[in-house]
Coordinates of all heavy atoms in Angstrom, one line a residue:
M14 N 0.8 -1.2 0.0 CA 0.0 0.0 0.0 C 0.9 1.2 0.0 O 1.9 1.3 0.7 CB -0.9 0.0 1.2 CG -1.7 1.2 1.2 SD -3.1 1.5 2.3 CE -3.0 0.7 3.8
V15 N 0.5 2.2 -0.8 CA 1.3 3.5 -0.9 C 0.7 4.5 0.0 O -0.6 4.7 0.0 CB 1.3 4.0 -2.4 CG1 2.0 5.3 -2.5 CG2 1.9 3.0 -3.3
K16 N 1.5 5.1 0.8 CA 1.0 6.2 1.7 C 1.6 7.5 1.2 O 2.8 7.6 0.9 CB 1.4 5.9 3.1 CG 0.7 4.7 3.7 CD 1.1 4.6 5.2 CE 0.3 3.4 5.7 NZ 0.6 3.2 7.2
N17 N 0.8 8.5 1.1 CA 1.2 9.8 0.8 C 1.2 10.7 2.0 O 0.3 10.6 2.9 CB 0.3 10.5 -0.3 CG 0.4 9.8 -1.6 OD1 1.5 9.2 -1.9 ND2 -0.7 9.7 -2.3
I18 N 2.2 11.6 2.1 CA 2.2 12.6 3.2 C 2.0 13.9 2.6 O 2.8 14.3 1.7 CB 3.6 12.5 4.0 CG1 3.7 11.1 4.6 CG2 3.6 13.6 5.0 CD1 5.0 10.9 5.3
F19 N 1.1 14.7 3.1 CA 0.8 16.0 2.5 C 1.1 17.0 3.6 O 0.9 16.9 4.8 CB -0.7 16.1 2.2 CG -1.2 15.1 1.2 CD1 -1.8 13.9 1.6 CD2 -1.0 15.3 -0.1 CE1 -2.2 13.0 0.7 CE2 -1.4 14.4 -1.1 CZ -2.0 13.2 -0.7
D20 N 1.7 18.1 3.1 CA 2.0 19.2 4.0 C 0.8 20.0 4.4 O -0.2 20.1 3.7 CB 3.0 20.2 3.2 CG 4.3 19.6 3.0 OD1 4.8 18.8 3.8 OD2 4.9 20.0 1.9
A21 N 0.9 20.5 5.6 CA -0.2 21.3 6.1 C -0.2 22.7 5.5 O 0.9 23.2 5.1 CB -0.1 21.4 7.7
Y22 N -1.3 23.3 5.4 CA -1.3 24.7 5.0 C -1.2 25.6 6.2 O -2.1 25.7 7.0 CB -2.7 25.0 4.3 CG -2.8 26.4 3.6 CD1 -2.2 26.6 2.4 CD2 -3.4 27.4 4.2 CE1 -2.3 27.8 1.8 CE2 -3.5 28.6 3.6 CZ -2.9 28.8 2.4 OH -3.0 30.1 1.8
L23 N 0.0 26.2 6.3 CA 0.3 27.0 7.5 C -0.6 28.3 7.6 O -0.8 28.9 6.5 CB 1.7 27.3 7.6 CG 2.7 26.1 7.7 CD1 4.1 26.5 7.7 CD2 2.4 25.2 8.9
T24 N -1.0 28.7 8.7 CA -1.8 29.9 8.9 C -1.4 30.6 10.2 O -0.9 29.9 11.1 CB -3.3 29.6 8.9 OG1 -4.0 30.8 8.9 CG2 -3.7 28.7 10.0
K25 N -1.7 31.9 10.3 CA -1.4 32.6 11.5 C -2.8 32.9 12.1 O -3.8 32.7 11.5 CB -0.7 33.9 11.2 CG 0.7 33.7 10.6 CD 1.3 35.1 10.3 CE 2.7 34.8 9.7 NZ 3.4 36.1 9.4
D26 N -2.7 33.4 13.3 CA -3.9 33.9 14.0 C -5.0 32.8 14.2 O -6.1 32.9 13.8 CB -4.6 35.1 13.3 CG -3.7 36.2 13.1 OD1 -2.9 36.5 14.0 OD2 -3.7 36.9 12.1
I27 N -4.5 31.7 14.8 CA -5.4 30.6 15.1 C -6.2 30.9 16.3 O -5.7 31.2 17.4 CB -4.7 29.3 15.3 CG1 -3.9 28.9 14.0 CG2 -5.6 28.1 15.7 CD1 -3.0 27.7 14.2
H28 N -7.6 31.0 16.1 CA -8.4 31.4 17.2 C -9.2 30.2 17.8 O -9.4 30.1 19.0 CB -9.5 32.4 16.8 CG -8.8 33.8 16.6 ND1 -8.5 34.6 17.6 CD2 -8.5 34.4 15.4 CE1 -7.9 35.7 17.1 NE2 -7.9 35.6 15.8
D29 N -9.7 29.3 17.0 CA -10.6 28.2 17.5 C -10.5 27.1 16.5 O -10.7 27.3 15.3 CB -12.0 28.7 17.6 CG -12.9 27.8 18.4 OD1 -12.5 26.7 18.7 OD2 -13.9 28.3 18.8
T30 N -10.2 25.9 16.9 CA -10.1 24.7 16.0 C -11.4 23.9 15.9 O -11.4 22.9 15.2 CB -8.9 23.8 16.5 OG1 -9.1 23.4 17.8 CG2 -7.6 24.5 16.4
V31 N -12.4 24.4 16.6 CA -13.7 23.7 16.5 C -14.2 23.8 15.0 O -14.2 24.9 14.5 CB -14.7 24.3 17.5 CG1 -16.1 23.7 17.2 CG2 -14.3 24.1 18.9
G32 N -14.5 22.7 14.4 CA -15.0 22.7 13.1 C -13.9 22.6 12.0 O -14.2 22.6 10.8
A33 N -12.6 22.5 12.4 CA -11.6 22.4 11.4 C -11.7 21.1 10.6 O -11.5 21.1 9.4 CB -10.2 22.4 12.1
G34 N -12.0 20.0 11.3 CA -12.2 18.7 10.6 C -13.3 18.7 9.6 O -13.2 18.2 8.5
D35 N -14.4 19.3 10.1 CA -15.6 19.4 9.2 C -15.3 20.3 8.0 O -15.7 20.0 6.9 CB -16.8 20.1 9.9 CG -17.3 19.2 11.1 OD1 -17.2 17.9 10.9 OD2 -17.8 19.7 12.1
S36 N -14.5 21.4 8.2 CA -14.2 22.3 7.1 C -13.2 21.6 6.1 O -13.3 21.7 4.9 CB -13.5 23.5 7.6 OG -14.4 24.2 8.5
F37 N -12.3 20.8 6.7 CA -11.4 20.0 5.8 C -12.2 19.1 5.0 O -12.0 19.0 3.8 CB -10.3 19.3 6.7 CG -9.5 18.3 5.8 CD1 -8.4 18.7 5.1 CD2 -9.9 17.0 5.7 CE1 -7.7 17.9 4.3 CE2 -9.2 16.1 4.9 CZ -8.1 16.5 4.2
R38 N -13.1 18.3 5.6 CA -13.9 17.3 4.9 C -14.7 18.0 3.8 O -14.8 17.4 2.7 CB -14.8 16.6 5.9 CG -15.4 15.4 5.3 CD -16.2 14.6 6.4 NE -15.5 14.3 7.6 CZ -15.7 14.8 8.8 NH1 -16.8 15.6 8.9 NH2 -15.0 14.5 9.8
A39 N -15.3 19.2 4.1 CA -16.1 19.9 3.1 C -15.2 20.2 1.9 O -15.6 20.0 0.7 CB -16.7 21.1 3.7
G40 N -14.0 20.8 2.1 CA -13.1 21.1 1.0 C -12.6 19.9 0.2 O -12.6 19.9 -1.0
F41 N -12.3 18.8 1.0 CA -11.8 17.6 0.3 C -12.9 17.0 -0.5 O -12.7 16.6 -1.7 CB -11.4 16.6 1.4 CG -11.0 15.3 0.9 CD1 -9.8 15.2 0.3 CD2 -11.7 14.2 1.1 CE1 -9.3 14.0 -0.2 CE2 -11.3 12.9 0.7 CZ -10.1 12.8 0.0
Y42 N -14.1 16.9 0.0 CA -15.2 16.3 -0.8 C -15.6 17.2 -2.0 O -16.0 16.7 -3.0 CB -16.5 16.1 0.1 CG -16.4 14.9 1.0 CD1 -17.1 14.8 2.2 CD2 -15.5 13.9 0.8 CE1 -17.0 13.8 3.1 CE2 -15.3 12.8 1.7 CZ -16.1 12.8 2.8 OH -16.0 11.7 3.7
F43 N -15.5 18.5 -1.8 CA -15.8 19.4 -2.9 C -14.8 19.1 -4.0 O -15.2 19.1 -5.2 CB -15.7 20.9 -2.5 CG -15.9 21.8 -3.6 CD1 -17.1 22.3 -3.9 CD2 -14.8 22.3 -4.3 CE1 -17.3 23.2 -5.0 CE2 -14.9 23.2 -5.3 CZ -16.2 23.7 -5.7
G44 N -13.5 18.9 -3.7 CA -12.5 18.6 -4.7 C -12.8 17.3 -5.4 O -12.7 17.2 -6.6
L45 N -13.1 16.3 -4.6 CA -13.4 15.0 -5.2 C -14.6 15.1 -6.1 O -14.7 14.5 -7.2 CB -13.6 13.9 -4.2 CG -12.4 13.5 -3.4 CD1 -12.8 12.5 -2.3 CD2 -11.3 13.0 -4.2
Y46 N -15.7 15.7 -5.7 CA -16.9 15.9 -6.4 C -16.7 16.6 -7.8 O -17.3 16.3 -8.8 CB -18.0 16.6 -5.6 CG -19.3 16.8 -6.3 CD1 -20.2 15.7 -6.3 CD2 -19.6 18.0 -6.9 CE1 -21.4 15.8 -6.9 CE2 -20.9 18.1 -7.5 CZ -21.7 17.1 -7.5 OH -22.9 17.2 -8.2
N47 N -15.7 17.5 -7.8 CA -15.4 18.3 -9.0 C -14.2 17.7 -9.7 O -13.6 18.4 -10.5 CB -15.2 19.8 -8.6 CG -16.5 20.4 -8.2 OD1 -17.3 20.7 -9.1 ND2 -16.7 20.7 -7.0
N48 N -14.0 16.4 -9.5 CA -13.0 15.7 -10.3 C -11.5 16.1 -10.1 O -10.7 16.0 -11.0 CB -13.3 15.6 -11.8 CG -14.7 15.0 -12.0 OD1 -15.0 13.9 -11.5 ND2 -15.5 15.6 -12.9
F49 N -11.2 16.7 -8.9 CA -9.9 17.0 -8.6 C -9.2 15.7 -8.2 O -9.9 14.8 -7.8 CB -9.8 17.9 -7.4 CG -10.2 19.3 -7.6 CD1 -11.1 19.7 -8.6 CD2 -9.8 20.3 -6.7 CE1 -11.5 21.0 -8.8 CE2 -10.2 21.6 -6.8 CZ -11.1 22.0 -7.9
N50 N -7.9 15.6 -8.4 CA -7.2 14.4 -7.9 C -7.1 14.4 -6.4 O -7.4 15.4 -5.8 CB -5.8 14.2 -8.6 CG -4.9 15.4 -8.3 OD1 -4.9 15.9 -7.2 ND2 -4.1 15.7 -9.3
I51 N -6.7 13.3 -5.8 CA -6.6 13.2 -4.4 C -5.7 14.3 -3.8 O -6.1 14.9 -2.8 CB -6.1 11.8 -3.9 CG1 -7.1 10.7 -4.3 CG2 -5.8 11.8 -2.4 CD1 -8.4 10.7 -3.6
E52 N -4.5 14.5 -4.3 CA -3.6 15.5 -3.8 C -4.2 16.9 -3.8 O -4.1 17.6 -2.8 CB -2.3 15.5 -4.6 CG -1.3 16.4 -4.0 CD 0.1 16.3 -4.8 OE1 0.3 15.4 -5.5 OE2 0.9 17.3 -4.6
D53 N -4.8 17.3 -4.9 CA -5.4 18.6 -4.9 C -6.6 18.7 -4.0 O -6.9 19.8 -3.4 CB -5.8 19.0 -6.4 CG -4.6 19.2 -7.3 OD1 -3.5 19.5 -6.7 OD2 -4.8 19.2 -8.5
S54 N -7.4 17.6 -3.8 CA -8.5 17.6 -2.9 C -8.0 17.8 -1.5 O -8.6 18.6 -0.7 CB -9.3 16.3 -3.1 OG -9.9 16.2 -4.3
V55 N -6.9 17.2 -1.1 CA -6.4 17.3 0.2 C -5.9 18.7 0.4 O -6.1 19.4 1.5 CB -5.2 16.3 0.5 CG1 -4.5 16.6 1.7 CG2 -5.8 14.9 0.5
K56 N -5.2 19.3 -0.6 CA -4.7 20.7 -0.5 C -5.9 21.6 -0.3 O -5.9 22.6 0.5 CB -4.0 21.1 -1.7 CG -2.6 20.5 -1.8 CD -1.9 20.9 -3.1 CE -0.5 20.2 -3.2 NZ 0.1 20.5 -4.5
L57 N -7.0 21.4 -1.0 CA -8.2 22.3 -0.9 C -8.8 22.1 0.5 O -9.2 23.1 1.1 CB -9.2 21.9 -2.0 CG -10.5 22.8 -2.0 CD1 -10.1 24.3 -2.2 CD2 -11.4 22.3 -3.1
G58 N -8.9 20.9 1.0 CA -9.4 20.7 2.4 C -8.5 21.4 3.4 O -9.0 22.0 4.3
N59 N -7.2 21.4 3.2 CA -6.3 22.1 4.2 C -6.5 23.6 4.1 O -6.5 24.3 5.1 CB -4.8 21.8 3.8 CG -4.4 20.4 4.3 OD1 -5.0 19.8 5.2 ND2 -3.4 19.9 3.7
I60 N -6.7 24.1 2.9 CA -6.9 25.6 2.8 C -8.2 26.0 3.4 O -8.3 27.0 4.2 CB -6.9 26.0 1.3 CG1 -5.5 25.8 0.8 CG2 -7.4 27.4 1.1 CD1 -5.3 25.9 -0.7
V61 N -9.3 25.2 3.2 CA -10.6 25.6 3.8 C -10.5 25.5 5.3 O -11.0 26.4 6.0 CB -11.7 24.6 3.2 CG1 -13.0 24.8 3.9 CG2 -11.9 24.9 1.7
A62 N -9.9 24.4 5.8 CA -9.8 24.3 7.3 C -8.9 25.5 7.9 O -9.2 26.0 8.9 CB -9.1 23.0 7.6
S63 N -7.9 25.9 7.1 CA -7.1 27.0 7.6 C -7.8 28.3 7.8 O -7.6 29.1 8.6 CB -5.8 27.2 6.8 OG -6.1 27.8 5.6
Y64 N -8.8 28.5 6.9 CA -9.6 29.7 7.0 C -10.6 29.6 8.1 O -11.0 30.5 8.8 CB -10.4 30.0 5.7 CG -9.5 30.7 4.6 CD1 -8.9 30.0 3.7 CD2 -9.4 32.1 4.7 CE1 -8.1 30.7 2.7 CE2 -8.6 32.7 3.8 CZ -8.0 32.0 2.8 OH -7.2 32.7 1.9
A65 N -11.1 28.3 8.4 CA -12.1 28.1 9.4 C -11.6 28.4 10.8 O -12.3 28.8 11.7 CB -12.6 26.7 9.3
I66 N -10.3 28.2 11.0 CA -9.7 28.3 12.3 C -9.2 29.8 12.6 O -8.7 30.0 13.7 CB -8.6 27.3 12.6 CG1 -7.4 27.5 11.7 CG2 -9.1 25.9 12.5 CD1 -6.2 26.6 11.9
R67 N -9.3 30.6 11.7 CA -8.9 32.0 11.9 C -9.8 32.9 12.7 O -9.4 33.9 13.1 CB -8.6 32.7 10.5 CG -7.5 32.1 9.8 CD -7.3 32.7 8.4 NE -6.2 32.0 7.7 CZ -5.8 32.4 6.5 NH1 -6.4 33.4 5.9 NH2 -4.9 31.7 5.9
K68 N -11.1 32.5 12.8 CA -12.1 33.3 13.5 C -12.6 32.4 14.6 O -12.8 31.2 14.5 CB -13.2 33.7 12.6 CG -12.8 34.6 11.4 CD -12.6 36.0 11.9 CE -12.2 36.9 10.7 NZ -12.0 38.2 11.1
P69 N -12.9 33.1 15.7 CA -13.6 32.3 16.8 C -15.0 31.9 16.4 O -15.7 32.6 15.7 CB -13.6 33.2 18.0 CG -13.4 34.6 17.4 CD -12.7 34.4 16.1
I70 N -15.4 30.7 16.8 CA -16.7 30.2 16.5 C -17.8 31.1 17.3 O -18.8 31.5 16.7 CB -16.9 28.7 17.0 CG1 -15.9 27.9 16.2 CG2 -18.3 28.3 16.8 CD1 -16.2 27.8 14.7
I71 N -17.5 31.4 18.5 CA -18.4 32.3 19.3 C -17.6 33.6 19.6 O -16.5 33.6 20.1 CB -18.8 31.6 20.6 CG1 -19.5 30.3 20.3 CG2 -19.6 32.5 21.5 CD1 -19.8 29.5 21.5
D72 N -18.3 34.7 19.3 CA -17.7 36.0 19.6 C -18.3 36.5 20.8 O -19.4 37.0 20.8 CB -17.9 36.9 18.4 CG -17.2 38.2 18.5 OD1 -16.5 38.4 19.5 OD2 -17.3 39.0 17.6
F73 N -17.6 36.5 21.9 CA -18.1 37.0 23.2 C -18.0 38.5 23.3 O -18.5 39.1 24.3 CB -17.3 36.3 24.4 CG -17.6 34.9 24.5 CD1 -16.6 33.9 24.1 CD2 -18.8 34.4 25.0 CE1 -16.9 32.6 24.2 CE2 -19.0 33.1 25.1 CZ -18.1 32.1 24.7
S74 N -17.4 39.1 22.3 CA -17.4 40.6 22.4 C -18.7 41.3 21.9 O -18.8 42.5 22.2 CB -16.2 41.1 21.5 OG -16.5 40.9 20.1
V75 N -19.6 40.5 21.3 CA -20.8 41.1 20.9 C -21.7 41.2 22.1 O -22.0 40.3 22.9 CB -21.5 40.2 19.8 CG1 -22.9 40.7 19.5 CG2 -20.6 40.0 18.6
K76 N -22.3 42.4 22.3 CA -23.1 42.7 23.4 C -24.6 42.3 23.1 O -25.0 42.6 22.0 CB -23.0 44.1 23.9 CG -21.7 44.4 24.4 CD -21.6 45.8 25.0 CE -20.2 46.0 25.4 NZ -19.9 47.2 26.1
R77 N -25.2 41.7 24.0 CA -26.6 41.2 23.8 C -27.5 42.4 24.0 O -27.4 43.1 25.0 CB -26.9 40.1 24.7 CG -28.2 39.4 24.4 CD -28.3 38.2 25.3 NE -29.6 37.6 25.0 CZ -30.0 36.5 25.4 NH1 -29.1 35.7 26.1 NH2 -31.1 36.0 25.1
M78 N -28.4 42.6 23.1 CA -29.4 43.7 23.2 C -30.7 43.0 23.7 O -31.3 42.2 23.1 CB -29.7 44.3 21.9 CG -28.4 44.9 21.2 SD -27.8 46.3 22.0 CE -28.9 47.5 21.5
I79 N -31.1 43.5 24.9 CA -32.3 42.9 25.5 C -33.4 44.0 25.5 O -33.2 45.1 25.8 CB -32.1 42.4 26.9 CG1 -31.1 41.2 26.9 CG2 -33.4 41.9 27.6 CD1 -30.7 40.6 28.2

């Protein structure tokens, strides 16, 4: 069996890793669905996940208006 090792897409300003796996999967499946090869699909998944972790999932700075 052949195993490939893919580089991570490095990013700065990591705020929250919640949803990173889901984001990777979405980008990866998008690539496969659109006939990208496996390597390009993995790269796309890494890029999508890197954008997902740049912002916090919950923004506690927003004040609630009651």
Side-chain angles (χ1 to χ4, degrees):
M14 179 168 30
V15 176
K16 292 185 180 182
N17 294 326
I18 298 174
F19 299 98
D20 292 329
Y22 186 81
L23 299 178
T24 186
K25 295 180 181 178
D26 302 324
I27 298 172
H28 289 283
D29 196 345
T30 58
V31 172
D35 294 329
S36 299
F37 171 83
R38 192 175 309 115
F41 178 71
Y42 287 158
F43 178 86
L45 292 180
Y46 182 79
N47 288 286
N48 299 316
F49 291 20
N50 62 34
I51 295 292
E52 183 176 345
D53 289 341
S54 296
V55 169
K56 288 179 182 177
L57 183 60
N59 283 338
I60 291 169
V61 172
S63 76
Y64 277 96
I66 64 176
R67 292 180 186 180
K68 298 283 184 181
I70 298 297
I71 298 173
D72 187 0
F73 292 105
S74 68
V75 177
K76 295 186 180 186
R77 189 173 178 169
M78 303 292 283
I79 298 179

